Amino acid sequence: MIRPKVLLGLLFLAGLSTGISAKELPCKDSGIVVQGAEPQDVQDGCEAVKSAARFFESSGLSMPKNIQIKVVDGQSTPLLEVHEMANYDCRQNAIRVLAYQPAVKATEMNEPGLGRITTRAHWRSYINHELAHAAIHTGCSKACPSRAIHEYVAAVAQIASLSKKQRTELLQPYRDLEPFDRLSDITETYYAINPHYFAVKSYKHYRQLSDPRAFFRDVLLLSD
Protein backbone atom coordinates (compact mmCIF):
# COMPACT_ATOMS: atom_id res chain seq x y z
CA MET A 1 0.00 0.00 0.00
CA ILE A 2 1.11 3.50 -0.74
CA ARG A 3 -0.65 6.08 1.38
CA PRO A 4 -1.78 9.06 -0.74
CA LYS A 5 -0.83 11.52 1.98
CA VAL A 6 2.56 9.89 2.40
CA LEU A 7 3.18 9.84 -1.35
CA LEU A 8 2.42 13.54 -1.56
CA GLY A 9 4.67 14.29 1.37
CA LEU A 10 1.79 15.75 3.41
CA LEU A 11 1.99 13.40 6.36
CA PHE A 12 4.36 14.41 9.14
CA LEU A 13 5.83 11.28 10.75
CA ALA A 14 7.03 11.68 14.31
CA GLY A 15 9.14 9.13 16.17
CA LEU A 16 10.35 7.30 13.07
CA SER A 17 12.30 4.77 15.16
CA THR A 18 9.24 3.56 17.11
CA GLY A 19 9.06 -0.23 17.19
CA ILE A 20 12.29 -0.76 15.22
CA SER A 21 15.46 -2.39 16.49
CA ALA A 22 18.94 -1.29 15.54
CA LYS A 23 19.78 -4.57 13.76
CA GLU A 24 20.60 -3.94 10.11
CA LEU A 25 21.52 -5.99 7.07
CA PRO A 26 22.71 -4.41 3.80
CA CYS A 27 21.25 -6.41 0.91
CA LYS A 28 23.99 -7.47 -1.47
CA ASP A 29 24.53 -5.35 -4.60
CA SER A 30 21.37 -3.32 -4.04
CA GLY A 31 22.09 -0.33 -1.82
CA ILE A 32 19.06 -1.38 0.25
CA VAL A 33 19.28 -1.91 4.02
CA VAL A 34 16.83 -3.94 6.12
CA GLN A 35 16.32 -3.11 9.80
CA GLY A 36 14.44 -5.30 12.27
CA ALA A 37 14.41 -7.12 15.58
CA GLU A 38 14.18 -10.71 14.28
CA PRO A 39 17.14 -12.02 12.25
CA GLN A 40 14.88 -14.15 10.03
CA ASP A 41 12.71 -11.16 9.18
CA VAL A 42 15.78 -9.16 8.25
CA GLN A 43 17.16 -11.97 6.07
CA ASP A 44 13.77 -12.41 4.43
CA GLY A 45 13.75 -8.70 3.64
CA CYS A 46 16.86 -9.15 1.53
CA GLU A 47 15.35 -12.25 -0.10
CA ALA A 48 12.42 -10.09 -1.15
CA VAL A 49 14.85 -7.54 -2.61
CA LYS A 50 16.47 -10.27 -4.74
CA SER A 51 13.16 -11.53 -6.10
CA ALA A 52 11.98 -7.98 -6.79
CA ALA A 53 15.14 -7.28 -8.79
CA ARG A 54 14.44 -10.27 -11.03
CA PHE A 55 10.86 -9.16 -11.68
CA PHE A 56 11.79 -5.53 -12.27
CA GLU A 57 14.46 -6.47 -14.80
CA SER A 58 11.95 -8.47 -16.82
CA SER A 59 9.40 -5.65 -16.59
CA GLY A 60 11.61 -2.71 -17.50
CA LEU A 61 11.59 -1.19 -14.01
CA SER A 62 14.71 -0.04 -12.21
CA MET A 63 15.38 -1.06 -8.63
CA PRO A 64 15.01 1.90 -6.26
CA LYS A 65 18.20 3.10 -4.61
CA ASN A 66 19.09 3.84 -0.99
CA ILE A 67 15.85 2.39 0.36
CA GLN A 68 15.55 1.45 4.02
CA ILE A 69 13.20 -1.43 4.80
CA LYS A 70 12.07 -1.09 8.40
CA VAL A 71 10.46 -4.14 10.02
CA VAL A 72 8.19 -2.88 12.80
CA ASP A 73 6.76 -4.88 15.67
CA GLY A 74 3.27 -3.45 15.87
CA GLN A 75 0.49 -1.55 14.15
CA SER A 76 -1.10 1.72 15.29
CA THR A 77 2.32 3.39 15.44
CA PRO A 78 3.44 6.50 13.55
CA LEU A 79 4.69 4.02 10.93
CA LEU A 80 1.74 1.68 10.31
CA GLU A 81 -1.97 2.21 10.65
CA VAL A 82 -4.39 -0.39 12.02
CA HIS A 83 -4.82 -3.29 9.54
CA GLU A 84 -1.91 -1.99 7.43
CA MET A 85 0.72 -4.63 6.66
CA ALA A 86 3.21 -2.37 4.90
CA ASN A 87 3.63 0.99 3.23
CA TYR A 88 6.13 3.08 1.30
CA ASP A 89 6.99 6.63 2.36
CA CYS A 90 8.58 8.55 -0.51
CA ARG A 91 9.47 11.44 1.80
CA GLN A 92 11.72 9.20 3.92
CA ASN A 93 12.50 6.80 1.01
CA ALA A 94 11.57 4.00 3.39
CA ILE A 95 9.42 0.89 3.39
CA ARG A 96 7.78 -0.17 6.65
CA VAL A 97 6.44 -3.71 7.05
CA LEU A 98 4.88 -5.42 10.04
CA ALA A 99 7.13 -8.21 11.39
CA TYR A 100 6.21 -11.75 10.41
CA GLN A 101 4.84 -13.08 13.70
CA PRO A 102 2.69 -10.01 14.44
CA ALA A 103 1.47 -10.14 10.82
CA VAL A 104 0.41 -13.77 11.21
CA LYS A 105 -1.44 -12.93 14.42
CA ALA A 106 -3.05 -9.82 12.96
CA THR A 107 -4.45 -11.72 9.95
CA GLU A 108 -5.27 -15.13 11.46
CA MET A 109 -9.03 -14.44 11.52
CA ASN A 110 -9.16 -13.26 7.91
CA GLU A 111 -10.65 -15.32 5.12
CA PRO A 112 -8.18 -17.59 3.26
CA GLY A 113 -6.36 -15.89 0.42
CA LEU A 114 -4.24 -12.80 0.15
CA GLY A 115 -5.50 -11.37 3.42
CA ARG A 116 -4.33 -14.19 5.69
CA ILE A 117 -0.56 -14.44 6.14
CA THR A 118 0.51 -17.99 6.96
CA THR A 119 3.91 -18.35 5.27
CA ARG A 120 7.09 -16.34 5.10
CA ALA A 121 6.89 -16.30 1.31
CA HIS A 122 3.52 -14.57 1.52
CA TRP A 123 4.93 -12.12 4.09
CA ARG A 124 7.92 -11.35 1.84
CA SER A 125 5.55 -10.60 -1.02
CA TYR A 126 4.35 -7.50 0.84
CA ILE A 127 7.90 -6.15 0.65
CA ASN A 128 7.90 -6.82 -3.10
CA HIS A 129 4.66 -4.85 -3.30
CA GLU A 130 6.19 -1.82 -1.60
CA LEU A 131 9.42 -2.05 -3.57
CA ALA A 132 7.28 -1.75 -6.70
CA HIS A 133 5.74 1.46 -5.34
CA ALA A 134 9.24 2.79 -4.66
CA ALA A 135 10.45 1.81 -8.13
CA ILE A 136 7.49 3.50 -9.83
CA HIS A 137 7.82 6.67 -7.81
CA THR A 138 11.55 7.05 -8.47
CA GLY A 139 11.39 5.90 -12.09
CA CYS A 140 8.58 7.86 -13.73
CA SER A 141 10.18 10.33 -16.09
CA LYS A 142 7.27 12.44 -17.38
CA ALA A 143 4.61 12.30 -14.67
CA CYS A 144 3.79 9.69 -12.07
CA PRO A 145 0.85 7.41 -12.90
CA SER A 146 -2.44 7.26 -11.04
CA ARG A 147 -2.76 5.47 -7.73
CA ALA A 148 -4.75 2.70 -9.45
CA ILE A 149 -1.83 1.98 -11.78
CA HIS A 150 0.58 2.14 -8.84
CA GLU A 151 -1.50 -0.53 -7.11
CA TYR A 152 -1.88 -2.61 -10.27
CA VAL A 153 1.87 -2.90 -10.78
CA ALA A 154 2.54 -3.42 -7.08
CA ALA A 155 -0.05 -6.21 -6.94
CA VAL A 156 1.48 -7.90 -9.98
CA ALA A 157 4.96 -7.64 -8.45
CA GLN A 158 3.67 -9.10 -5.19
CA ILE A 159 1.87 -12.10 -6.66
CA ALA A 160 4.58 -12.76 -9.26
CA SER A 161 7.16 -13.04 -6.47
CA LEU A 162 5.55 -16.26 -5.22
CA SER A 163 6.39 -19.72 -6.47
CA LYS A 164 3.85 -21.39 -8.73
CA LYS A 165 2.69 -23.65 -5.90
CA GLN A 166 2.37 -20.78 -3.42
CA ARG A 167 0.56 -18.65 -5.98
CA THR A 168 -1.89 -21.42 -6.83
CA GLU A 169 -2.75 -21.92 -3.16
CA LEU A 170 -3.22 -18.20 -2.46
CA LEU A 171 -5.32 -17.61 -5.58
CA GLN A 172 -7.53 -20.68 -5.10
CA PRO A 173 -10.28 -18.70 -3.29
CA TYR A 174 -10.41 -16.35 -6.30
CA ARG A 175 -10.50 -19.02 -9.00
CA ASP A 176 -13.79 -17.70 -10.43
CA LEU A 177 -12.72 -14.06 -10.39
CA GLU A 178 -12.30 -12.68 -13.90
CA PRO A 179 -9.35 -10.46 -14.89
CA PHE A 180 -9.80 -6.80 -15.63
CA ASP A 181 -11.16 -6.54 -19.15
CA ARG A 182 -9.71 -3.16 -20.14
CA LEU A 183 -7.48 -0.43 -18.79
CA SER A 184 -10.45 1.77 -17.89
CA ASP A 185 -11.64 -0.90 -15.44
CA ILE A 186 -8.49 -0.49 -13.33
CA THR A 187 -9.72 2.23 -11.00
CA GLU A 188 -8.98 3.55 -7.55
CA THR A 189 -12.65 3.03 -6.69
CA TYR A 190 -12.40 -0.71 -7.30
CA TYR A 191 -9.19 -0.82 -5.28
CA ALA A 192 -10.88 0.96 -2.36
CA ILE A 193 -13.85 -1.43 -2.43
CA ASN A 194 -11.81 -4.65 -2.34
CA PRO A 195 -8.00 -4.41 -2.60
CA HIS A 196 -7.57 -8.20 -2.65
CA TYR A 197 -9.96 -8.64 -5.58
CA PHE A 198 -8.21 -5.72 -7.27
CA ALA A 199 -4.84 -7.45 -6.83
CA VAL A 200 -6.03 -10.77 -8.24
CA LYS A 201 -7.82 -9.18 -11.20
CA SER A 202 -4.68 -7.16 -11.89
CA TYR A 203 -2.45 -10.21 -11.88
CA LYS A 204 -4.85 -12.17 -14.10
CA HIS A 205 -5.00 -9.22 -16.52
CA TYR A 206 -1.20 -9.01 -16.55
CA ARG A 207 -0.90 -12.72 -17.34
CA GLN A 208 -3.04 -12.25 -20.45
CA LEU A 209 -0.91 -9.45 -21.89
CA SER A 210 0.99 -10.25 -25.07
CA ASP A 211 3.73 -7.72 -24.20
CA PRO A 212 3.74 -6.95 -20.45
CA ARG A 213 6.95 -4.91 -20.71
CA ALA A 214 5.39 -2.58 -23.29
CA PHE A 215 2.23 -2.29 -21.20
CA PHE A 216 4.23 -1.24 -18.14
CA ARG A 217 6.21 1.24 -20.22
CA ASP A 218 3.02 2.85 -21.50
CA VAL A 219 1.01 3.01 -18.26
CA LEU A 220 3.99 4.06 -16.15
CA LEU A 221 5.08 6.73 -18.63
CA LEU A 222 8.59 5.33 -18.71
CA SER A 223 11.22 6.44 -21.18
CA ASP A 224 12.14 4.01 -23.95
Short mmCIF file of all heavy atoms in Angstrom, two decimals, residues 50-93:
data_model
loop_
_atom_site.label_atom_id
_atom_site.label_comp_id
_atom_site.label_asym_id
_atom_site.label_seq_id
_atom_site.Cartn_x
_atom_site.Cartn_y
_atom_site.Cartn_z
N LYS A 50 15.93 -9.47 -3.63
CA LYS A 50 16.47 -10.27 -4.74
C LYS A 50 15.37 -10.65 -5.72
O LYS A 50 15.54 -10.55 -6.95
CB LYS A 50 17.16 -11.52 -4.20
CG LYS A 50 18.52 -11.26 -3.58
CD LYS A 50 19.05 -12.44 -2.80
CE LYS A 50 19.04 -13.73 -3.57
NZ LYS A 50 19.63 -14.85 -2.79
N SER A 51 14.24 -11.11 -5.20
CA SER A 51 13.16 -11.53 -6.10
C SER A 51 12.55 -10.33 -6.83
O SER A 51 12.16 -10.43 -8.00
CB SER A 51 12.08 -12.30 -5.33
OG SER A 51 11.44 -11.49 -4.39
N ALA A 52 12.49 -9.18 -6.15
CA ALA A 52 11.98 -7.98 -6.79
C ALA A 52 12.89 -7.56 -7.94
O ALA A 52 12.41 -7.17 -9.01
CB ALA A 52 11.86 -6.84 -5.78
N ALA A 53 14.19 -7.66 -7.74
CA ALA A 53 15.14 -7.28 -8.79
C ALA A 53 14.94 -8.12 -10.04
O ALA A 53 15.01 -7.59 -11.17
CB ALA A 53 16.57 -7.42 -8.27
N ARG A 54 14.67 -9.39 -9.87
CA ARG A 54 14.44 -10.27 -11.03
C ARG A 54 13.17 -9.84 -11.78
O ARG A 54 13.16 -9.77 -13.02
CB ARG A 54 14.33 -11.73 -10.59
CG ARG A 54 15.63 -12.32 -10.07
CD ARG A 54 15.53 -13.83 -9.92
NE ARG A 54 14.59 -14.22 -8.87
CZ ARG A 54 14.93 -14.43 -7.60
NH1 ARG A 54 16.18 -14.26 -7.21
NH2 ARG A 54 14.03 -14.80 -6.72
N PHE A 55 12.11 -9.55 -11.04
CA PHE A 55 10.86 -9.16 -11.68
C PHE A 55 11.01 -7.80 -12.37
O PHE A 55 10.55 -7.61 -13.50
CB PHE A 55 9.73 -9.11 -10.66
CG PHE A 55 8.44 -8.60 -11.22
CD1 PHE A 55 7.64 -9.42 -12.00
CD2 PHE A 55 8.03 -7.29 -11.01
CE1 PHE A 55 6.44 -8.95 -12.54
CE2 PHE A 55 6.85 -6.81 -11.54
CZ PHE A 55 6.05 -7.65 -12.30
N PHE A 56 11.64 -6.87 -11.70
CA PHE A 56 11.79 -5.53 -12.27
C PHE A 56 12.60 -5.56 -13.57
O PHE A 56 12.30 -4.85 -14.53
CB PHE A 56 12.46 -4.59 -11.27
CG PHE A 56 11.62 -4.25 -10.07
CD1 PHE A 56 12.14 -3.53 -9.02
CD2 PHE A 56 10.30 -4.66 -9.97
CE1 PHE A 56 11.37 -3.23 -7.90
CE2 PHE A 56 9.52 -4.37 -8.87
CZ PHE A 56 10.06 -3.64 -7.83
N GLU A 57 13.63 -6.37 -13.58
CA GLU A 57 14.46 -6.47 -14.80
C GLU A 57 13.64 -6.96 -15.98
O GLU A 57 13.75 -6.44 -17.10
CB GLU A 57 15.64 -7.41 -14.55
CG GLU A 57 16.58 -7.51 -15.75
CD GLU A 57 17.77 -8.40 -15.49
OE1 GLU A 57 17.86 -8.98 -14.38
OE2 GLU A 57 18.62 -8.52 -16.38
N SER A 58 12.77 -7.94 -15.73
CA SER A 58 11.95 -8.47 -16.82
C SER A 58 10.84 -7.51 -17.23
O SER A 58 10.29 -7.62 -18.32
CB SER A 58 11.33 -9.81 -16.40
OG SER A 58 10.38 -9.62 -15.36
N SER A 59 10.52 -6.55 -16.34
CA SER A 59 9.40 -5.65 -16.59
C SER A 59 9.82 -4.26 -17.05
O SER A 59 8.97 -3.42 -17.34
CB SER A 59 8.55 -5.52 -15.32
OG SER A 59 8.10 -6.77 -14.89
N GLY A 60 11.13 -4.01 -17.08
CA GLY A 60 11.61 -2.71 -17.50
C GLY A 60 11.67 -1.67 -16.40
O GLY A 60 11.86 -0.48 -16.68
N LEU A 61 11.49 -2.10 -15.15
CA LEU A 61 11.59 -1.19 -14.01
C LEU A 61 13.00 -1.22 -13.44
O LEU A 61 13.69 -2.24 -13.51
CB LEU A 61 10.60 -1.60 -12.91
CG LEU A 61 9.12 -1.40 -13.20
CD1 LEU A 61 8.28 -2.07 -12.11
CD2 LEU A 61 8.79 0.08 -13.26
N SER A 62 13.40 -0.11 -12.86
CA SER A 62 14.71 -0.04 -12.21
C SER A 62 14.54 -0.19 -10.71
O SER A 62 13.60 0.37 -10.13
CB SER A 62 15.39 1.30 -12.51
OG SER A 62 15.62 1.45 -13.89
N MET A 63 15.44 -0.92 -10.08
CA MET A 63 15.38 -1.06 -8.63
C MET A 63 15.60 0.30 -7.97
O MET A 63 16.48 1.06 -8.37
CB MET A 63 16.45 -2.04 -8.13
CG MET A 63 16.08 -3.49 -8.28
SD MET A 63 14.69 -4.00 -7.22
CE MET A 63 15.44 -3.95 -5.59
N PRO A 64 14.80 0.64 -6.97
CA PRO A 64 15.01 1.90 -6.26
C PRO A 64 16.31 1.87 -5.48
O PRO A 64 16.77 0.80 -5.06
CB PRO A 64 13.80 1.97 -5.32
CG PRO A 64 13.39 0.54 -5.13
CD PRO A 64 13.69 -0.14 -6.42
N LYS A 65 16.91 3.01 -5.29
CA LYS A 65 18.20 3.10 -4.61
C LYS A 65 18.04 3.67 -3.20
O LYS A 65 17.14 4.46 -2.93
CB LYS A 65 19.16 4.00 -5.41
CG LYS A 65 19.38 3.55 -6.84
CD LYS A 65 20.09 2.21 -6.90
CE LYS A 65 20.39 1.80 -8.33
NZ LYS A 65 21.02 0.46 -8.42
N ASN A 66 18.97 3.27 -2.34
CA ASN A 66 19.09 3.84 -0.99
C ASN A 66 17.81 3.73 -0.17
O ASN A 66 17.49 4.59 0.64
CB ASN A 66 19.52 5.31 -1.06
CG ASN A 66 20.82 5.48 -1.83
OD1 ASN A 66 21.77 4.74 -1.62
ND2 ASN A 66 20.84 6.46 -2.73
N ILE A 67 17.08 2.64 -0.40
CA ILE A 67 15.85 2.39 0.36
C ILE A 67 16.20 1.75 1.71
O ILE A 67 17.08 0.89 1.79
CB ILE A 67 14.92 1.45 -0.42
CG1 ILE A 67 14.37 2.14 -1.66
CG2 ILE A 67 13.79 0.93 0.45
CD1 ILE A 67 13.20 3.04 -1.40
N GLN A 68 15.50 2.14 2.74
CA GLN A 68 15.55 1.45 4.02
C GLN A 68 14.25 0.68 4.20
O GLN A 68 13.17 1.25 4.04
CB GLN A 68 15.72 2.43 5.17
CG GLN A 68 17.11 3.02 5.29
CD GLN A 68 17.25 3.84 6.57
OE1 GLN A 68 16.32 4.50 7.00
NE2 GLN A 68 18.42 3.77 7.17
N ILE A 69 14.37 -0.61 4.49
CA ILE A 69 13.20 -1.43 4.80
C ILE A 69 13.18 -1.62 6.32
O ILE A 69 14.09 -2.24 6.88
CB ILE A 69 13.26 -2.79 4.08
CG1 ILE A 69 13.29 -2.59 2.56
CG2 ILE A 69 12.07 -3.65 4.49
CD1 ILE A 69 13.48 -3.88 1.77
N LYS A 70 12.16 -1.07 6.95
CA LYS A 70 12.07 -1.09 8.40
C LYS A 70 10.99 -2.08 8.83
O LYS A 70 9.81 -1.88 8.53
CB LYS A 70 11.76 0.32 8.92
CG LYS A 70 12.78 1.37 8.51
CD LYS A 70 12.31 2.77 8.89
CE LYS A 70 13.31 3.83 8.43
NZ LYS A 70 14.56 3.81 9.18
N VAL A 71 11.40 -3.14 9.52
CA VAL A 71 10.46 -4.14 10.02
C VAL A 71 10.00 -3.70 11.40
O VAL A 71 10.81 -3.60 12.33
CB VAL A 71 11.11 -5.53 10.09
CG1 VAL A 71 10.09 -6.57 10.56
CG2 VAL A 71 11.69 -5.93 8.73
N VAL A 72 8.72 -3.41 11.54
CA VAL A 72 8.19 -2.88 12.80
C VAL A 72 7.42 -3.96 13.54
O VAL A 72 6.91 -4.91 12.95
CB VAL A 72 7.30 -1.65 12.55
CG1 VAL A 72 8.06 -0.57 11.81
CG2 VAL A 72 6.05 -2.01 11.77
N ASP A 73 7.33 -3.81 14.86
CA ASP A 73 6.76 -4.88 15.67
C ASP A 73 5.31 -4.67 16.07
O ASP A 73 4.77 -5.43 16.86
CB ASP A 73 7.61 -5.12 16.93
CG ASP A 73 7.74 -3.86 17.78
OD1 ASP A 73 6.97 -2.91 17.56
OD2 ASP A 73 8.62 -3.85 18.67
N GLY A 74 4.67 -3.65 15.53
CA GLY A 74 3.27 -3.45 15.87
C GLY A 74 2.61 -2.46 14.95
O GLY A 74 3.27 -1.68 14.25
N GLN A 75 1.27 -2.51 14.91
CA GLN A 75 0.49 -1.55 14.15
C GLN A 75 0.10 -0.39 15.07
O GLN A 75 0.46 -0.36 16.24
CB GLN A 75 -0.75 -2.23 13.57
CG GLN A 75 -0.41 -3.32 12.55
CD GLN A 75 -1.60 -4.17 12.17
OE1 GLN A 75 -2.33 -4.62 13.03
NE2 GLN A 75 -1.78 -4.39 10.88
N SER A 76 -0.67 0.54 14.53
CA SER A 76 -1.10 1.72 15.29
C SER A 76 0.09 2.48 15.86
O SER A 76 0.09 2.93 17.00
CB SER A 76 -2.05 1.32 16.41
OG SER A 76 -3.23 0.78 15.89
N THR A 77 1.16 2.59 15.10
CA THR A 77 2.32 3.39 15.44
C THR A 77 2.37 4.54 14.44
O THR A 77 1.57 4.58 13.50
CB THR A 77 3.62 2.56 15.32
OG1 THR A 77 3.90 2.35 13.93
CG2 THR A 77 3.50 1.22 16.02
N PRO A 78 3.31 5.48 14.60
CA PRO A 78 3.44 6.50 13.55
C PRO A 78 3.84 5.92 12.20
O PRO A 78 3.84 6.62 11.20
CB PRO A 78 4.56 7.40 14.10
CG PRO A 78 4.50 7.21 15.58
CD PRO A 78 4.16 5.78 15.77
N LEU A 79 4.20 4.62 12.16
CA LEU A 79 4.69 4.02 10.93
C LEU A 79 3.62 3.21 10.19
O LEU A 79 3.58 3.20 8.97
CB LEU A 79 5.89 3.11 11.23
CG LEU A 79 7.07 3.79 11.93
CD1 LEU A 79 8.19 2.79 12.15
CD2 LEU A 79 7.56 4.98 11.14
N LEU A 80 2.78 2.50 10.92
CA LEU A 80 1.74 1.68 10.31
C LEU A 80 0.40 1.98 10.95
O LEU A 80 0.30 2.10 12.17
CB LEU A 80 2.05 0.18 10.46
CG LEU A 80 3.19 -0.41 9.66
CD1 LEU A 80 3.37 -1.88 10.01
CD2 LEU A 80 2.95 -0.26 8.16
N GLU A 81 -0.63 2.04 10.13
CA GLU A 81 -1.97 2.21 10.65
C GLU A 81 -2.58 0.85 10.98
O GLU A 81 -2.05 -0.20 10.60
CB GLU A 81 -2.84 2.94 9.61
CG GLU A 81 -2.37 4.35 9.31
CD GLU A 81 -3.19 5.03 8.24
OE1 GLU A 81 -4.10 4.36 7.69
OE2 GLU A 81 -2.95 6.21 7.96
N VAL A 82 -3.69 0.85 11.70
CA VAL A 82 -4.39 -0.39 12.02
C VAL A 82 -4.76 -1.11 10.72
O VAL A 82 -5.22 -0.49 9.76
CB VAL A 82 -5.66 -0.09 12.85
CG1 VAL A 82 -6.44 -1.38 13.10
CG2 VAL A 82 -5.29 0.56 14.17
N HIS A 83 -4.52 -2.42 10.69
CA HIS A 83 -4.82 -3.29 9.54
C HIS A 83 -3.87 -3.06 8.36
O HIS A 83 -4.07 -3.66 7.30
CB HIS A 83 -6.26 -3.14 9.07
CG HIS A 83 -7.29 -3.33 10.13
ND1 HIS A 83 -7.32 -4.47 10.91
CD2 HIS A 83 -8.30 -2.54 10.57
CE1 HIS A 83 -8.31 -4.37 11.78
NE2 HIS A 83 -8.91 -3.21 11.60
N GLU A 84 -2.86 -2.24 8.52
CA GLU A 84 -1.91 -1.99 7.43
C GLU A 84 -0.70 -2.91 7.61
O GLU A 84 -0.05 -2.89 8.64
CB GLU A 84 -1.47 -0.53 7.44
CG GLU A 84 -0.69 -0.11 6.22
CD GLU A 84 -0.40 1.39 6.22
OE1 GLU A 84 -0.08 1.94 7.29
OE2 GLU A 84 -0.48 1.98 5.13
N MET A 85 -0.41 -3.72 6.59
CA MET A 85 0.72 -4.63 6.66
C MET A 85 2.03 -3.97 6.29
O MET A 85 3.09 -4.32 6.81
CB MET A 85 0.49 -5.83 5.72
CG MET A 85 -0.60 -6.79 6.16
SD MET A 85 -0.21 -7.64 7.71
CE MET A 85 -1.30 -6.74 8.82
N ALA A 86 1.98 -3.02 5.38
CA ALA A 86 3.21 -2.37 4.90
C ALA A 86 2.85 -1.09 4.18
O ALA A 86 1.71 -0.90 3.73
CB ALA A 86 3.97 -3.31 3.97
N ASN A 87 3.83 -0.20 4.04
CA ASN A 87 3.63 0.99 3.23
C ASN A 87 4.98 1.51 2.76
O ASN A 87 6.03 1.08 3.25
CB ASN A 87 2.83 2.07 3.97
CG ASN A 87 3.54 2.60 5.21
OD1 ASN A 87 4.75 2.89 5.19
ND2 ASN A 87 2.80 2.73 6.30
N TYR A 88 4.92 2.42 1.79
CA TYR A 88 6.13 3.08 1.30
C TYR A 88 5.98 4.57 1.52
O TYR A 88 4.96 5.17 1.15
CB TYR A 88 6.34 2.80 -0.20
CG TYR A 88 7.35 3.72 -0.84
CD1 TYR A 88 8.68 3.71 -0.42
CD2 TYR A 88 6.99 4.60 -1.85
CE1 TYR A 88 9.61 4.57 -0.99
CE2 TYR A 88 7.92 5.46 -2.43
CZ TYR A 88 9.22 5.44 -1.99
OH TYR A 88 10.14 6.30 -2.54
N ASP A 89 6.98 5.19 2.11
CA ASP A 89 6.99 6.63 2.36
C ASP A 89 8.06 7.25 1.47
O ASP A 89 9.26 7.08 1.71
CB ASP A 89 7.28 6.87 3.84
CG ASP A 89 7.43 8.35 4.19
OD1 ASP A 89 7.08 9.19 3.34
OD2 ASP A 89 7.91 8.66 5.28
N CYS A 90 7.62 7.97 0.43
CA CYS A 90 8.58 8.55 -0.51
C CYS A 90 9.36 9.69 0.14
O CYS A 90 10.49 9.98 -0.27
CB CYS A 90 7.88 9.03 -1.77
SG CYS A 90 6.72 10.38 -1.52
N ARG A 91 8.78 10.33 1.13
CA ARG A 91 9.47 11.44 1.80
C ARG A 91 10.72 10.94 2.53
O ARG A 91 11.78 11.57 2.50
CB ARG A 91 8.52 12.12 2.77
CG ARG A 91 9.11 13.34 3.47
CD ARG A 91 8.09 13.91 4.44
NE ARG A 91 8.63 15.03 5.18
CZ ARG A 91 8.00 15.61 6.18
NH1 ARG A 91 6.81 15.18 6.55
NH2 ARG A 91 8.56 16.62 6.81
N GLN A 92 10.60 9.79 3.19
CA GLN A 92 11.72 9.20 3.92
C GLN A 92 12.48 8.18 3.07
O GLN A 92 13.51 7.68 3.49
CB GLN A 92 11.20 8.49 5.18
CG GLN A 92 10.47 9.40 6.16
CD GLN A 92 11.39 10.33 6.91
OE1 GLN A 92 12.60 10.07 7.01
NE2 GLN A 92 10.84 11.41 7.43
N ASN A 93 11.95 7.86 1.87
CA ASN A 93 12.50 6.80 1.01
C ASN A 93 12.64 5.52 1.82
O ASN A 93 13.70 4.88 1.85
CB ASN A 93 13.85 7.20 0.42
CG ASN A 93 14.18 6.40 -0.83
OD1 ASN A 93 13.29 5.91 -1.52
ND2 ASN A 93 15.46 6.24 -1.11
#
